Amino acid sequence: MATTVRRAVLTLPAAPLGPENPLPVLRAPAEAHTLDARSREGLPRDMARQIGYEPLRSLLPVRLRDGYQRRRQEREFEAVVIENAHLRVTVLPGLGGRVHSLVHVPTGRELLYRNPVFQPANFALNGAWFSGGIEWNIGATGHTTLSCAPLHAALVPAPDGGVMVRLWEWERLRDLPFQVDLWLPQDSEFLYVGVRVRNPHERAVPVYWWSNIAVPEDPGTRVLAPADEAWHFGYERALRRIPVPRWEDEDRTYPLRSEYPADFFYEVPDGARPWIASLDAEGRGLVQTSTGRLRGRKLFVWGSGEGGRRWQEWLTEPGTGGYAEIQAGLARTQLEHVRLEAGAEFSWLEAYGPLAADPGPVHGPDWPSARSAAETALAGALPAERVEEAYEAWRGSADTEPGERLAEGSGWGALEVLCGGHKLPGTPFPESGLGEAQAPWLELWRTGVFPAPRRVAPPGPSLVAPHWRDMLETAPADPLTEYHLGVAQWRAGDVAQAVRSWERGLALAPSRWPLLRCLAVADALAGDPARAAQRYAEAFEDLAEESRGGEPWTAAESALGREAMTTLLAAGRLPAARAVWDRLRPALREEGRFRLLAARLLAAEGHVGAARRVFEDGFELPDLREGDEILSEVWSRITHRPLPASYNFRMRPPT
């Protein structure tokens, strides 16, 4: 059977993604994977250096994606299916290029955890993320901002004369183009994935990459990797070196034998073949291996505790089975970023396929024998030299121009290529890809003037790279230009100048709320909660007066209303917080985000019983953040009763 590539439609119960949050992300990302200072002592020198190298300090210019809900209905997703006699691969270009399914054709076995629903949750750096399959994480520590975004996709001639699927996009946190080539040779039992990250700039940049593979989690599932030690990272934010497989009287290579969610970053020896496998009680499952550039391997477990099980239900449907993640990355841990020099690139090849090993040694008490059994089976199924040969063959095709287009990504790469004059063979970003979001920035580049909008609307996205900041600084200083300039200056760390730009814009702005909100955030971070609260109150009042019908305005009211109420409650401005609540659209008040704020407001006003009834009546917080304990914190303020299981998302032991 020759390899075929075809378009398909995947139908899933799906929650709507909703609109982007129109407020620029001025606060530092609330990433759970940060390390406490004491844990850095005694780390290997290269690891410590890369942990300290350019950690992400801002999500700008990316916007938050937090408008999703949890009401699901059938929805069709555009898919691409790659198939030969051994494997059937289903790819979702519109959702970050996720490999949704990897089926072993002769047996009909699904090798991945395939989520039966599409349910966004707050795990990506910018919010919306979903579980299952294989995801390509680029950018910075955490799940990529492209988790639920479309990528460009096209057909490209494969090294063996067949065809492969190329995915590519411009990653905006680090301003880097990348590509992922999915290649399934005619007689291969393994999917090859060629990855390239390029730095077209005249400066070095930090790079982050982890390929995350969701695998079924069963009591008999064991994860194997070529390591005798691992770095354990839990939500206590401590990194510690532990033995593999047993630690604290449990074999941690079985995902369900940990109580709380945790990462296990395996210490793969230099020169060892990098691989990781998840095998069931019969010794069958999935293996991933790669060329040496992708050195890191990791196991993530949700654990057997109540909080981890609740998260598993939250991300799919109750009763559908859980999953663990096996992962592969550029560094030993996900806390690190790797330096990529100006004009240079990183590239490697990954391979994914079925593995069958003798279950006796695999599940025996002797760890070296278990590893050896899996490693021997891998060597028989896919020798290391074949991976190297495939990599060299793929490198000869990496610059080949794409043919038939399968999907379209964003226009941001086209804007950067046009304005920067970058040459990126193999990953075209033509001017025809520019869209409405890029139009005002294209006009600024061509004319030196940032255009006024044709209709009253919340401001569009800001761009913050140095060349855009320079253009804004020389453009006519109207209120909208001052708004965007302030955002760019804020991203550059020039807080005082950003505040001056926003204040200049405020003096003449017909629409005051975007500028007032920026100034309120600046006040809060400067340690002036009273002034921040006052500006938030004024901003929401101005927005409520100006707001019109339609999704962008509803998204603005939701985002600003949440920020305003949270700040006003923290400052003890209860009448002002109540005023914001009273001016919200009725439909917004029914959302879980505002039900929680209602409970907090009622409790602060002394109506503890009414606050408790909000919880008892039941609500869901669609954008509950990974590691966030706000539900348990509010519950503990209004009652001494145990936290109901439906609200228990704790990811660490109680302190």
Side-chain angles (χ1 to χ4, degrees), residues 461-480:
S462 298
L463 294 183
V464 298
H467 54 282
W468 294 111
R469 188 173 72 248
D470 292 344
M471 285 184 250
L472 290 166
E473 286 175 344
T474 58
D478 62 76
L480 184 57

Side-chain angles (χ1 to χ4, degrees), residues 100-388:
H100 174 72
S101 171
L102 184 64
V103 173
H104 184 232
V105 173
T107 62
R109 292 190 65 195
E110 174 63 67
L111 300 178
L112 304 173
Y113 168 76
R114 180 172 56 192
N115 198 332
V117 304
F118 173 70
Q119 178 55 64
N122 194 358
F123 278 72
L125 286 164
N126 64 330
W129 172 87
F130 65 106
S131 65
I134 307 171
E135 58 174 320
W136 318 111
N137 285 291
I138 182 174
T141 299
H143 292 281
T144 177
T145 61
L146 296 167
S147 291
C148 293
L151 302 190
H152 300 281
L155 299 180
V156 182
D160 63 349
V163 67
M164 62 185 177
V165 174
R166 176 163 298 162
L167 307 165
W168 73 98
E169 216 355 318
W170 191 280
E171 199 286 312
R172 301 178 67 209
L173 291 180
R174 303 300 197 183
D175 261 343
L176 296 176
F178 71 97
Q179 72 188 73
V180 177
D181 288 354
L182 304 169
W183 170 31
L184 186 57
Q186 178 172 333
D187 296 320
S188 176
E189 292 190 352
F190 283 79
L191 171 69
Y192 293 142
V193 181
V195 182
R196 178 165 63 168
V197 181
R198 287 187 273 195
N199 177 10
H201 307 296
E202 296 179 353
R203 65 185 189 280
V205 292
V207 174
Y208 172 94
W209 183 282
W210 281 80
S211 301
N212 289 11
I213 310 126
V215 291
E217 170 203 68
D218 298 307
T221 297
R222 192 178 201 187
V223 172
L224 300 108
D228 293 313
E229 293 181 305
W231 296 90
H232 173 271
F233 184 82
Y235 287 80
E236 308 90 337
R237 299 189 173 182
L239 187 66
R240 49 191 164 182
R241 198 169 193 153
I242 65 168
V244 174
R246 296 191 67 83
W247 176 58
E248 293 185 343
D249 297 324
E250 280 291 354
D251 187 328
R252 304 294 173 168
T253 60
Y254 291 87
L256 287 172
R257 296 188 187 178
S258 293
E259 184 176 2
Y260 290 95
D263 299 327
F264 297 90
F265 299 103
Y266 293 112
E267 186 68 39
V268 179
D270 291 340
R273 181 181 187 181
W275 60 273
I276 190 166
S278 174
L279 304 181
D280 65 15
E282 298 176 351
R284 299 185 305 171
L286 174 77
V287 66
Q288 187 272 1
T289 187
S290 70
T291 49
R293 171 68 71 180
L294 207 65
R295 65 170 296 188
R297 292 299 185 274
K298 169 193 160 181
L299 165 64
F300 168 75
V301 301
W302 283 108
S304 59
E306 187 175 276
R309 307 328 295 170
R310 182 70 180 105
W311 272 116
Q312 293 261 35
E313 292 179 351
W314 187 253
L315 296 171
T316 178
E317 289 185 333
T320 55
Y323 74 96
E325 288 178 358
I326 57 175
Q327 306 184 12
L330 278 176
R332 278 185 288 192
T333 74
Q334 289 176 327
L335 309 177
E336 303 168 66
H337 298 91
V338 182
R339 182 183 177 93
L340 180 58
E341 298 297 337
E345 65 179 51
F346 288 146
S347 65
W348 62 90
L349 188 95
E350 304 180 43
Y352 296 81
L355 191 70
D358 187 337
V362 161
H363 291 281
D366 182 59
W367 175 244
S369 296
R371 283 175 38 195
S372 178
E375 201 152 31
T376 299
L378 173 59
L382 185 66
E385 54 269 23
R386 194 185 304 168
V387 177
E388 295 293 337

Side-chain angles (χ1 to χ4, degrees), residues 465-521:
H467 54 282
W468 294 111
R469 188 173 72 248
D470 292 344
M471 285 184 250
L472 290 166
E473 286 175 344
T474 58
D478 62 76
L480 184 57
T481 302
E482 295 283 16
Y483 164 81
H484 287 299
L485 174 58
V487 174
Q489 291 165 333
W490 182 273
R491 174 62 180 85
D494 194 347
V495 173
Q497 191 58 56
V499 168
R500 283 193 288 271
S501 295
W502 292 327
E503 288 176 339
R504 283 196 306 268
L506 188 62
L508 298 174
S511 180
R512 292 168 51 84
W513 64 267
L515 293 150
L516 283 168
R517 181 265 176 177
C518 290
L519 290 166
V521 175

Side-chain angles (χ1 to χ4, degrees), residues 427-440:
T427 54
F429 294 95
E431 191 172 343
S432 59
L434 294 166
E436 183 179 350
Q438 293 81 42

